[in-house]
Amino acid sequence: MEYPKNHRKIVDELMNGKFILPIEQHYEVLKENEEFYADFFKVSFNYDLKFTQHYAYLVSDESAEMLSRDMCIFFALLSYELDRDGKNFLERIQYTEFELDEIENYFANSSYIDLILSNKQLKDTDARKNFINTLNRRNIVEKIGDNRILFTSAHKFFMDFAADIVKFENVNE
Amino acid sequence: MKAEPRTVLRFLLEYFDIIKDLFDTQTKDNIITYEVMNEITSKHKMDVKIQLLEYKIISNVAENYQFRPVFASLIEFILSEFKPMLPETIEKYHVSIGELFRKIRENINGDKVILNQRITELSNEINNFYESVEKNTLALLNETRELKANVKKVDYREKIIRASRWIDEYIIPLNKILDLNHSTSLTTKLYEVSEYTNRYRLNFDDESTRIQFEKLYFSLIQVNDNLLRQSKILTNELLPLIERIRTESIILTGWINFLKAPHKKKVPKILESKRNYIYSKDTFFNAAEFFDAFKNDVDVFIEDEEYEDEKWIFDKQLYKDKLKDNLPVTDFFKWCNKTLKEDYKKVEIEKFFALTSLAFDDDLQLEYPVKAEFDKIKINDLTLTVPKITINNHGIS
């Protein structure tokens, strides 16, 4: 049987919890073979392939819940602090680079300081640096040099989650 | 009593500050209450209530007041402060324009005076329609930009409600009115009128009617162009801007809600990245896969290396005996070199060192000169500086 091009890369990255992005060559391969890969992951591992115009990734019940929660807290705090600072948070996260110092400043001076201090991955500068490396490994941020980052289109995954909170609340109300 | 026009205009100019305050109140509350009227006139220390009524700028509504529509429109226009109109209000032009157009077509050969009057009124209705659209677009743009800047600190939930209302109740219906691809839209109707007018402006027996058609035709060209521009503003600028406000507000409301109890909310599923532990059940298969990758199916033959020279083994006893036979040896190192040269064509340094190790034999007695003397010995390319050692006897003397 002949497998699609970049098969191993696609499988490796998705199985490692990485987001595959439209700017990457193997996203196109995945797009062209979406049905095959959806079946492949379902039959082989019982994982669901989620494919959108902004990212592709795998969903399973073996979820890294702690990490996902920390990521949500990170995005929630950053969005909140940017908005409080009078910035269009969505445009900033979507289109512009961040200096790590800027993010550091938002977290260090946040009114959610109790929540930050109680979180192992976000509690101090070193922890936050490591956390950003984790985001980088998952393809959620792109590192530009040592001191700058750019959020990839995978950030929409978390923004959609935030929007769903409001939608589901309205449904339940 | 009818006021003199210049007096009315002069009054508007002179008391414009009060008029503007009253107009703002009406825009906000839809009415100017008796109390507010008194409050505003007292603030400006000018009681102009009587003139406002006399010049028919405002009218009484029970005990309260309201601007007459013509003055409301004038002030609104001067200030460029329009309030968005519901598209239903604009949609009424569909009926009036459609009806006038139908009557023109049906009675094209009828009374010329009435025909000309209908053409003029059709032209007015079309201009009124365009003005309503322009005012509405402008009003919606102003409101949207203000909401984006959020000077009034509107909370996120209210922003979502407002943005959704504007999209659903104003922008999308207005876009439908302007949609050229929609056969029943007003803009499509105007193109139909335009084609008809074009035909009769060139081909009609009565000259005055031809001129009326001509005027209407050129007015329609302008209006259609302007409507297209308004439609572009709506779809390219206003709609994305307001959609963005709505999306941002929804997301931020969601995050604020999440941050209230971040450990109680369900979070999205993120795949756990796998680490391979040595005791994992997959280790055997991973290792098998690894070895498979390096498995070489081609037969490999390894040939034994052939050594040209056999390895030399130092026969200590043989050389010890040779040394004993030659005793006394006045220069031990020279003797070693000479002996090896007699036995072998080529003397390697290893052989030389092996032979010199006899000097450490306990059976041999070494003698050194009082003053240290050195000799040079050449072995192949190597020149060694060695001390002069004499061996006279063997065994413990």
Side-chain angles (χ1 to χ4, degrees), chain A residues 93-107:
Chain A
I93 291 176
Q94 208 163 343
Y95 301 116
T96 56
E97 289 177 11
F98 280 86
E99 284 206 11
L100 290 182
D101 288 350
E102 185 186 358
I103 294 178
E104 204 41 51
N105 203 26
Y106 283 133
F107 276 78

Side-chain angles (χ1 to χ4, degrees), chain B residues 10-25 40-41 43-44 46 48 52 67 75 79:
Chain B
R10 209 173 292 123
F11 174 81
L12 283 176
L13 176 67
E14 197 167 333
Y15 298 99
F16 191 73
D17 289 342
I18 301 179
I19 290 167
K20 187 180 177 302
D21 280 359
L22 292 171
F23 179 77
D24 287 345
T25 306
I40 292 173
T41 49
K43 188 180 106 184
H44 290 275
M46 285 166 203
V48 289
L52 283 168
F67 274 91
I75 298 164
L79 295 172

Side-chain angles (χ1 to χ4, degrees), chain B residues 128-141:
Chain B
N128 288 340
F129 161 65
Y130 173 69
E131 243 176 55
S132 305
V133 171
E134 191 187 35
K135 272 174 18 181
N136 231 27
T137 316
L138 199 64
L140 285 168
L141 260 180

